[in-house]
Amino acid sequence: MKIITLNQTVRENILSDLLKRDPNNYDSYNKVVQEIVAEVKSKKDEALFAFTKKFDGADMDASTIRVTEEEIREARNMVEPELLAVMERALKNIRDYHQMQVRHSWFDSRPDGTILGQKITALESVGVYVPGGKAAYPSSVLMNIIPAEVAGVKRIVMVTPPGRDGKVNPVTLTAAHLAGATEVYKAGGAQAVAALAFGTESIPRVNKIVGPGNIFVALAKKAVYGHVSIDSIAGPSEILVLADDTANPRFVAADLLSQAEHDELASAILITTSEKLARQVSLEVDRFVKELSRKEILEKSLENFGYILIAENMDEAVRTANDIASEHLEIVTRNPFEVMTKIQNAGAIFIGEYSSEPLGDYFAGPNHVLPTNGTAKFFSPLGVDDFIKKSSVIYYSKEALEPVHKDIIAFAEAEHLTAHANSIRVRFEGQEGRE
C-alpha cells in the first residue's frame, strides 16, 4: 500500500480522488436507465418481463413472477441448518438493536387550551431491492427488512433477480421469509426499481425503495426519487482505520482488506501516528493479498484507493477522518473511547481491536446500510426512522387563539397574504368593536 506523510495537500488530493467514485458521476449509464424506467412506467408488465428475459435470461409472466409459499418452503429446506441458525441469531441481534430506535407519538396539552404534538405513522409499503446472480446476500436482506418490520410497515416487498431457471437463491429467499417480507418478486435491475416506483399489473407500487444494487439500480433509484422515497444512492464500500503504535498490524491489515475485496472502487485507508505500524501494516497487506481469493480485485482496489497516511498526531488524524467521513471507521488506539468522542463524521464506528468491521456487517445488530462517499457528514445509517413519517398535530381552543390572533394577522399581512389573515380574522368578527 502507498505510505504517505499527511499534510493539507495530501488531504485535499485524497478527498478529490475518493469523490470520483460517486455513482452520480456515471452519467454514461443515465440514458439507458432512463429508457428502461420509462418503458416499465408505460408498458408495465410487458416491459418488466421483456427486460427480465433480456438481462437475466429468465422467462417470467404474471403467474410466475411472485414467489409462492411452496417455493419459500422448498428454499428453507435447502439451507444448511448451521447457516439457518446463524441467520436466526443475527436476526435477533438486529431486531433488538432496531427496537431501541422505535419512536412514539407525543402530545403536549397546556392549561391555556392548546394541544401540540407529533403523530408517528409507519409507511404503508416499502420495496427492498436485493442483488441476485450467483452470490447470496442474506445479511443485506435482514438489514433492509427488519427495520421496516420493526417500524410497523404492513407491506414489505422484496425484489431480486431470478436465475435463468426462474428461481431465487434459496438463502436469499429464506432470509426474506425470516425477516418478515410479505411479498417477494423475481425481478431485478432498473426494471424492478421502476416497477416498485410506478406499479405494474403484477407488482403494486410502494411508498419507498431501499437496498443496494449495481450502478443501474442506483441510477434507477435516483430517477424515480420524488415519485417514491429512497434510502440513498449508495457508492462503493470504504473503511478507515485510526490507529496508534498499540495497534496489531496483522489485525489492521486484515480489516483494511475486508472492504477492499468488495470491488475495484472500494476504499481502504489507514491513518496512523506510527511510522513503524505503517510499514508493518503494508507488509501484512502484501502477505494477505497473496493468500486471499479475490486477489485481482484487492490489488486494483488498493492501487486505486488504498492509502496509509502518517499523521503528526492523533488530532490531525481525527481531523482527516472527519474530512473523509468514511462509511466504516475503526478506532484502534490506547484510548479509543476518548478518540470516539472527537469523531464528527462516520457511518459506523468500531471501537477496539476486537470490533472488526465484519462484526457490523453480519451480526452485532446496528445496520450495515451506511452513508458512503463523504455523505456521513449529513446522512445516517438505515434505521427505523427511515420507515416512518411524522405528522404535526395542532389544536387551539377559541380561548387559546383569541389572545394571539392579532399577532398572526399582523404576520400574514406583513407577507401580503390577506387570505391567511382573513382566515384568522373571521373567527373574531364583531368582537373587535367590543374590545
Side-chain angles (χ1 to χ4, degrees), residues 37 40 48 129 159 187-199 206 209 216-224 228 230:
V37 170
V40 173
L48 178 63
Y129 187 94
V159 294
Q191 61 272 20
V193 174
L196 290 172
F198 300 111
V206 298
I209 301 172
F216 295 98
V217 171
L219 291 177
K221 286 167 70 177
K222 182 180 178 183
V224 302
V228 292
I230 62 171

Side-chain angles (χ1 to χ4, degrees), residues 1-3 241 249-258 260 268-270 277-292 295 298-299 301-303 306-308:
M1 290 180 71
K2 299 180 287 286
I3 300 178
V241 180
R250 190 166 172 82
F251 291 1
V252 172
D255 293 356
L256 291 170
L257 294 175
S258 73
I269 299 174
L270 165 64
L277 179 74
R279 292 192 298 272
Q280 290 174 326
V281 169
S282 183
L283 290 173
E284 292 290 352
V285 165
D286 291 342
R287 293 191 186 106
F288 277 130
V289 168
K290 292 175 183 176
E291 303 169 3
L292 296 169
K295 180 181 177 181
L298 287 168
E299 288 176 338
S301 170
L302 294 175
E303 179 183 348
Y307 303 94
I308 296 176

Side-chain angles (χ1 to χ4, degrees), residues 143-317:
M143 292 290 184
N144 280 277
I145 293 178
I146 290 173
E149 186 262 339
V150 170
V153 178
K154 294 291 188 290
R155 181 170 172 255
I156 304 174
V157 182
M158 189 181 89
V159 294
T160 189
R164 290 183 176 273
D165 59 358
K167 293 185 179 294
V168 174
N169 185 291
V171 175
T172 299
L173 191 51
T174 299
H177 176 66
L178 291 175
T182 58
E183 303 162 36
V184 180
Y185 294 95
K186 305 167 189 175
Q191 61 272 20
V193 174
L196 290 172
F198 300 111
T200 74
E201 294 87 348
S202 297
I203 304 179
R205 63 170 295 177
V206 298
N207 298 133
K208 184 166 187 171
I209 301 172
V210 302
N214 61 21
I215 188 64
F216 295 98
V217 171
L219 291 177
K221 286 167 70 177
K222 182 180 178 183
V224 302
Y225 177 65
H227 298 282
V228 292
S229 179
I230 62 171
D231 50 353
S232 63
I233 309 295
S237 189
E238 51 201 33
I239 185 170
L240 191 154
V241 180
L242 278 177
D244 60 18
D245 58 354
T246 65
N248 183 317
R250 190 166 172 82
F251 291 1
V252 172
D255 293 356
L256 291 170
L257 294 175
S258 73
Q259 293 309 291
E261 77 169 342
H262 272 292
D263 60 62
E264 296 168 9
L265 295 177
S267 167
I269 299 174
L270 165 64
I271 307 179
T272 180
T273 53
S274 169
E275 290 186 32
K276 181 181 177 182
L277 179 74
R279 292 192 298 272
Q280 290 174 326
V281 169
S282 183
L283 290 173
E284 292 290 352
V285 165
D286 291 342
R287 293 191 186 106
F288 277 130
V289 168
K290 292 175 183 176
E291 303 169 3
L292 296 169
S293 62
R294 296 167 72 88
K295 180 181 177 181
E296 289 186 12
I297 292 175
L298 287 168
E299 288 176 338
K300 289 181 179 177
S301 170
L302 294 175
E303 179 183 348
N304 294 330
F305 302 105
Y307 303 94
I308 296 176
L309 305 176
I310 301 174
E312 185 176 345
N313 51 53
M314 189 52 65
D315 285 342
E316 183 183 41

